[in-house]
Amino acid sequence: QTGLVPFAPALANTAATDSAITYLDGERGILRYRGYSIEDLAERASFVETAYLLINGELPTPEEYDAFSWALSEHSLLHEDMKRFYDGYPMTAHPMAILSAMVNSLSTFYPEAQDALNPEERERTIVRLLSKLRTIAAFAYKKLHGQPFIYPQNHLSYCGNLLHMMFALPTEEYEVDDELVQVLNQLLILHADHEQNCSTHTVRTVGSAQTNLFASISAGINALWGVRHGGANQAVVEMLEQIHADGGDVQKYINLAKDKHSSFRLMGFGHRVYKNYDPRARIIKDAAYRVFDKLGIHDPLLEIALKLEEAALSDSYFTERKLYPNVDFYSGLIYRAMGIPTNFFTVMFALGRLPGWIAHWKEQIEDPSMRITRPRQLYTGPEGRTFRPLAERG
Ligand code: SDX
């Protein structure tokens, strides 16, 4: 036979990578960015501070924060030629497809990003992407809603600028709501990094070939789009809408999720690493109450989500498999309350995860011992076979 390596199955799923960026303890539900707890950062930091921390390893001083914020404002515009790319997308396009294509296209306007080993070019490319992804996302929102693009405003904060570019109209004043900006800061912080998840591992794999940042992040965006990964926040709300339309019978869907003959899974439940309540889900659930209270919204989907969580966490199928709500279970409800359409929820996830992806790409490219990712495999195909010409087959 092929002489299978005895310990191979254990390697099948684990590509051990060391990193100094994020610490995750799935059993105890602990998440720390560069040693700071997610609870502290979500409650007391801004997204820009958190992005700086993830990328540079330290929280910024006031001077560093001002310089970083100024640079983000400086690079918020897209090249005017890039606006025309949007003309070609159909109104039915999924914004994640636009996001990955536009991010990849940045490398055509900034070819110097290819010089990934040059620290100055690297820093400029990082700030360009951190700033422009907001504009790319907001312009995608405007395109898909048939509205004119709204340019970034340098006097606005990172999150305030995003909301303004998405929701302002040339025909009326748009006042950025500070409370919604605060909630959006918190949501982006909670999504900012998560160790070696599928999309981050994708960014590291593509970046290990010394691929430029734009192309590496474009690959990460595509990985995040998957419904088992970042696409879950969209799938959660679609699931809750289906349960609502079906009379709110949560037990019917709990039973469906347990049925091995059904492919249905409870979206927003379960996690490869967390075998406890996802600490991010706990914070987001509290934020959901605040947003609904602030906006005076009574969303029946929140009631259904709470009932679904209660039913699942009192069912041994879920508790035995340690299936708890994850980051995606409540986040979509907040985005929905903020007026963000369902198919943009994963775009918001990508905006949050961007500094984490960048930090991992940078950590790897700065490592002189970096080697291209090249996992081995367990060959399970046929042994050497004799070739027969076409005429002799059949
Ligand atoms: C994210 O990795 C990260 O860090 C990801 C993330 C990040 O920040 O980057 O945290 C973001 O992707 C969160 C996850 C979002 N996805 C979903 O909510 C989709 C629904 N969840 C599942 O598809 C699943 O739980 C995964 C993909 C999240 C995890 O899958 P695993 O670890 O591969 O688990 P598994 O498929 O091996 O399932 C183990 C058991 C199976 O049952 P048995 O074979 O033991 O009988 O649990 C069952 C599964 O059928 N199961 C579920 C379930 N998730 C797992 N059953 C019902 N509903 C579910 N959601």
Side-chain angles (χ1 to χ4, degrees), residues 283-295 297 302-303 306 330 334:
I283 298 170
I284 291 176
K285 184 177 176 182
D286 293 343
Y289 281 115
R290 284 208 312 279
V291 168
F292 287 114
D293 190 45
K294 152 87 185 160
L295 298 175
I297 290 175
L302 177 61
E303 301 309 317
L306 294 168
Y330 287 103
I334 298 181

Side-chain angles (χ1 to χ4, degrees), residues 194 228-229 260 265-266 268-269 271-272 280 326 353:
H194 213 239
R228 287 198 169 190
H229 189 13
K260 288 304 168 195
R265 284 189 162 192
L266 276 194
F269 265 78
H271 200 278
R272 174 61 56 76
R280 302 168 296 175
N326 59 46
R353 186 51 52 89

Side-chain angles (χ1 to χ4, degrees), residues 2 33 48 56 78 83 93 146 150 157 182 230 250 261 283 355 367 387 394:
T2 53
Y33 297 160
V48 168
N56 299 297
L78 287 187
K83 279 175 36 183
I150 298 291
S157 67
Q182 197 272 330
V250 297
H261 301 297
I283 298 170
D367 176 358
F387 179 83

Side-chain angles (χ1 to χ4, degrees), residues 51-334:
Y52 186 97
L53 168 69
L54 284 166
I55 293 166
N56 299 297
E58 297 293 339
L59 283 166
T61 62
E63 295 73 26
E64 289 164 337
Y65 178 80
D66 290 345
F68 191 55
S69 298
W70 181 83
L72 289 173
S73 299
E74 180 72 8
H75 290 285
S76 58
L77 284 171
L78 287 187
H79 191 293
E80 280 295 296
D81 289 351
M82 286 192 83
K83 279 175 36 183
R84 282 199 284 281
F85 292 2
Y86 288 87
D87 297 342
Y89 295 122
M91 295 287 277
T92 53
H94 194 289
M96 287 295 275
I98 297 175
L99 221 66
S100 62
M102 293 299 284
V103 166
N104 205 46
S105 300
L106 285 172
S107 49
T108 64
F109 287 84
Y110 305 103
E112 61 274 26
Q114 281 294 103
D115 189 5
L117 298 182
N118 175 326
E120 287 73 38
E121 284 307 342
R122 204 160 49 223
E123 291 315 308
R124 200 176 357 261
T125 302
I126 285 172
V127 169
R128 274 188 175 129
L129 181 54
L130 255 182
S131 186
K132 293 182 195 308
L133 189 64
R134 276 177 304 179
T135 313
I136 287 171
F139 282 13
Y141 177 85
K142 286 308 199 187
K143 157 68 188 190
L144 300 181
H145 287 78
Q147 295 174 356
F149 293 156
I150 298 291
Y151 280 76
Q153 300 293 313
N154 286 356
H155 69 281
L156 293 174
S157 67
Y158 188 93
C159 290
N161 228 333
L162 173 63
L163 292 175
H164 185 266
M165 285 192 278
M166 285 180 73
F167 297 126
L169 289 167
T171 49
E172 58 197 35
E173 277 303 306
Y174 176 82
E175 193 63 35
V176 174
D177 181 315
D178 288 340
E179 183 119 3
L180 291 189
V181 168
Q182 197 272 330
V183 170
L184 186 55
N185 259 289
Q186 195 171 63
L187 282 170
L188 296 185
I189 289 169
L190 291 167
H191 287 83
D193 194 47
H194 213 239
E195 203 216 58
Q196 301 300 322
N197 60 85
C198 176
S199 54
T200 301
H201 193 66
T202 301
V203 169
R204 289 186 78 109
T205 296
V206 174
S208 74
Q210 208 176 301
T211 306
N212 72 71
L213 179 66
F214 299 130
S216 302
I217 298 300
S218 176
I221 291 170
N222 287 311
L224 186 73
W225 191 3
V227 73
R228 287 198 169 190
H229 189 13
N233 55 16
Q234 174 175 342
V236 167
V237 169
E238 288 164 352
M239 172 186 73
L240 295 174
E241 284 170 336
Q242 185 182 342
I243 296 173
H244 182 52
D246 202 2
D249 179 358
V250 297
Q251 196 52 50
K252 172 181 171 183
Y253 288 84
I254 292 281
N255 297 338
L256 203 54
K258 291 159 63 176
D259 178 356
K260 288 304 168 195
H261 301 297
S262 154
S263 61
F264 175 78
R265 284 189 162 192
L266 276 194
M267 289 290 109
F269 265 78
H271 200 278
R272 174 61 56 76
V273 178
Y274 285 126
K275 299 310 169 190
N276 198 323
Y277 209 102
D278 185 331
R280 302 168 296 175
R282 206 185 300 281
I283 298 170
I284 291 176
K285 184 177 176 182
D286 293 343
Y289 281 115
R290 284 208 312 279
V291 168
F292 287 114
D293 190 45
K294 152 87 185 160
L295 298 175
I297 290 175
H298 172 72
D299 186 346
L301 299 192
L302 177 61
E303 301 309 317
I304 290 175
L306 294 168
K307 280 167 62 181
L308 200 60
E309 176 185 348
E310 186 185 351
L313 298 191
S314 53
D315 186 309
S316 60
Y317 171 93
F318 293 90
T319 51
E320 281 165 5
R321 290 170 177 79
K322 300 186 177 180
L323 301 175
Y324 294 91
N326 59 46
V327 67
D328 294 303
F329 190 59
Y330 287 103
S331 54
L333 292 173
I334 298 181

